[in-house]
């Protein structure tokens, strides 16, 4: 019997994950299928029971269930306990094991492009769930320091405390206090949801240069105002779709135990834009 996979969340209609994983199945001739399954907030437990009944082999989790899903796991991978949220689950004979592939997904483009993180100064804008996985990634790769800028200062302070506990020199500021300091950093990341609706970038990027790495984790639209501003300054760009692809590749490898067909998955993803 073929293996079945899903992504759960709400809203889920526009998820690109079914396209990406189905392309991998086709490329490697795997007898597997991957669907998007809408589970509204408050219905996670019933939804999970249903997935277990159909002997789902694995699933991804997106908004709003990434944290609540932790409660329904039988086993927790280290990536998952560190970040406190789960985006990938494997189901082996009814035992659900949770992973968080957002951190590795975020780091993947640095590895692919051989961009250095060791000893760098980071400006991270945003302090939500994705930002936490990003902080864990920068700590793992031994960045020198991180400034976390967020609309609500309290959340930035909390995240900077987490950063310190995992060995990263950190401080917290409000977004409005970034002003013209972007040029003082080696790597600048937008991890807010600002840009999804084509809004203007929340920070200015004047004075950065061709050595500055600018990474927007928003993947739709691909060319956000933040990315456009970075291009004007000739910075090195990493697009949100590269992180999305990175986390999908990692999830594929957890589930199938073989190397993911990166190029086929990338082609399917870019075709979805
Ligand atoms: P959260 O809801 O946990 O966090 C949202 C963040 O955006 C918070 O820091 C919030 O600030 C900030 N924010 C929202 N609106 C504004 C505003 N008007 N002005 C300033 N800041 C604002 O979301 P996630 O962390 O889960 O995701 C963030 C984004 O990253 C989403 O757009 C998502 O699509 C994208 N993403 C991309 C991934 C990829 O693979 N490329 C993976 C995961 C997420 P405050 O705390 O003040 O509310």
């Amino acid at each position: 019997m073929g293996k079945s996979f899903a992504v759960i969340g709400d809203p889920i209609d526009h998820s690109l994950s079914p396209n990406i994983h189905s392309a991998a199945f086709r490329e490697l001739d795997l007898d597997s299928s991957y669907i998007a399954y809408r589970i509204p907030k408050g219905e996670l437990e019933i939804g999970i029971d249903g997935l277990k009944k159909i002997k789902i082999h694995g699933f991804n989790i997106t908004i709003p269930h990434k944290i609540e899903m932790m409660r329904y796991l039988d086993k927790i991978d280290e990536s998952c306990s560190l970040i406190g949220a789960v985006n990938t689950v494997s189901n082996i004979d009814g035992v659900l094991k949770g992973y968080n592939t957002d951190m590795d997904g975020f780091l993947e483009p640095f590895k692919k492009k051989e961009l250095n993180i060791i000893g760098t100064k980071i400006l991270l804008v945003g302090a939500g769930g994705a930002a936490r996985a990003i902080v864990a990634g920068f700590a793992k790769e031994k960045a020198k320091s991180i400034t976390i800028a967020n609309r609500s200062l309290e959340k930035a302070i909390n995240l900077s405390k987490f950063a310190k506990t995992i060995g990263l020199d950190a401080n917290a500021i409000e977004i409005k206090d970034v002003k013209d300091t972007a040029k003082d950093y080696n790597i600048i990341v937008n991890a807010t949801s600002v840009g999804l609706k084509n809004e203007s970038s929340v920070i200015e990027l004047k004075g950065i240069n061709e050595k500055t790495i600018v990474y927007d984790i928003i993947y739709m639209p691909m060319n956000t105002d933040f990315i456009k501003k970075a291009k004007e300054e000739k910075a090195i760009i990493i697009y949100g779709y590269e992180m999305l692809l990175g986390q999908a590749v990692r999830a594929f490898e957890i589930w199938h135990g073989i190397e993911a067909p990166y190029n086929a998955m990338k082609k399917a993803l870019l075709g979805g834009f």
Side-chain angles (χ1 to χ4, degrees):
M1 204 177 77
K3 292 177 179 170
S4 48
F5 298 88
V7 56
I8 63 169
D10 187 22
I12 204 70
D13 288 357
H14 298 290
S15 171
L16 297 169
S17 294
N19 293 11
I20 305 174
H21 285 278
S22 300
F25 303 156
R26 276 196 305 278
E27 179 73 12
L28 299 179
D29 217 2
L30 298 177
D31 183 14
S32 298
S33 59
Y34 189 113
I35 58 156
Y37 176 30
R38 190 174 78 89
I39 299 183
K41 204 173 170 64
E43 293 179 22
L44 184 58
E45 189 168 7
I46 307 167
I48 301 295
D49 280 346
L51 289 172
K52 279 182 151 179
K53 281 195 184 116
I54 63 159
K55 295 192 167 40
I56 194 98
H57 200 78
F59 54 96
N60 286 125
I61 299 102
T62 186
I63 290 170
H65 304 305
K66 280 188 181 186
I67 295 171
E68 200 195 339
M69 183 63 214
M70 295 284 288
R71 279 201 259 148
Y72 302 104
L73 299 173
D74 303 302
K75 286 186 179 175
I76 298 179
D77 180 69
E78 203 189 323
S79 58
C80 198
S81 49
L82 180 69
I83 297 162
V86 50
N87 78 333
T88 302
V89 173
S90 69
N91 175 19
I92 298 174
D93 299 328
V95 177
L96 300 187
K97 181 168 179 185
Y99 300 81
N100 192 308
T101 68
D102 280 337
M103 180 181 84
D104 285 338
F106 176 78
L107 294 174
E108 168 87 16
F110 289 94
K111 300 206 164 121
K112 265 217 138 44
K113 297 171 188 201
E114 297 183 359
L115 296 170
N116 173 56
I117 294 177
I118 301 169
T120 53
K121 284 181 73 180
I122 317 284
L123 173 61
L124 173 62
V125 190
R132 198 172 159 94
I134 292 168
V135 165
F138 281 129
K140 183 179 170 211
E141 297 301 317
K142 310 244 177 308
K144 179 167 179 279
S145 64
I146 191 161
T147 295
I148 300 164
N150 198 48
R151 180 176 58 180
S152 78
L153 183 61
E154 197 191 336
K155 275 206 201 163
I157 291 172
N158 284 339
L159 190 57
S160 74
K161 282 183 189 153
F162 168 67
K164 284 177 194 159
T165 64
I166 55 173
L168 201 52
D169 180 8
N171 70 306
I173 60 172
E174 280 184 51
I175 289 182
K176 63 178 170 50
D177 292 327
V178 172
K179 296 192 173 117
D180 61 351
T181 61
K183 60 183 182 317
D184 301 339
Y185 299 91
N186 306 107
I187 302 173
I188 303 168
V189 181
N190 174 40
T192 69
S193 47
V194 179
L196 274 175
K197 295 176 191 146
N198 279 310
E199 306 97 315
S200 293
S201 162
V202 282
I203 61 162
E204 285 304 321
L205 294 174
K206 283 264 170 330
I208 64 168
N209 60 44
E210 71 287 348
K211 288 193 183 122
T212 315
I213 299 170
V214 176
Y215 195 153
D216 197 342
I217 71 162
I218 287 185
Y219 53 85
M220 190 83 90
M222 193 162 124
N223 277 295
T224 56
D225 181 59
F226 181 71
I227 291 283
K228 284 180 194 157
K229 286 198 163 88
K231 282 183 176 170
E232 279 166 22
E233 308 295 317
K234 307 205 165 27
I236 300 164
I237 306 290
I238 304 179
Y239 294 98
Y241 84 79
E242 297 178 75
M243 174 176 176
L244 184 68
L245 192 57
Q247 64 76 28
V249 161
R250 182 78 193 97
F252 181 96
E253 291 175 351
I254 288 167
W255 291 330
H256 301 274
I258 51 174
E259 195 182 330
Y262 183 92
N263 287 329
M265 293 167 87
K266 180 177 175 181
K267 216 169 136 186
L269 172 57
L270 293 180
F273 283 100

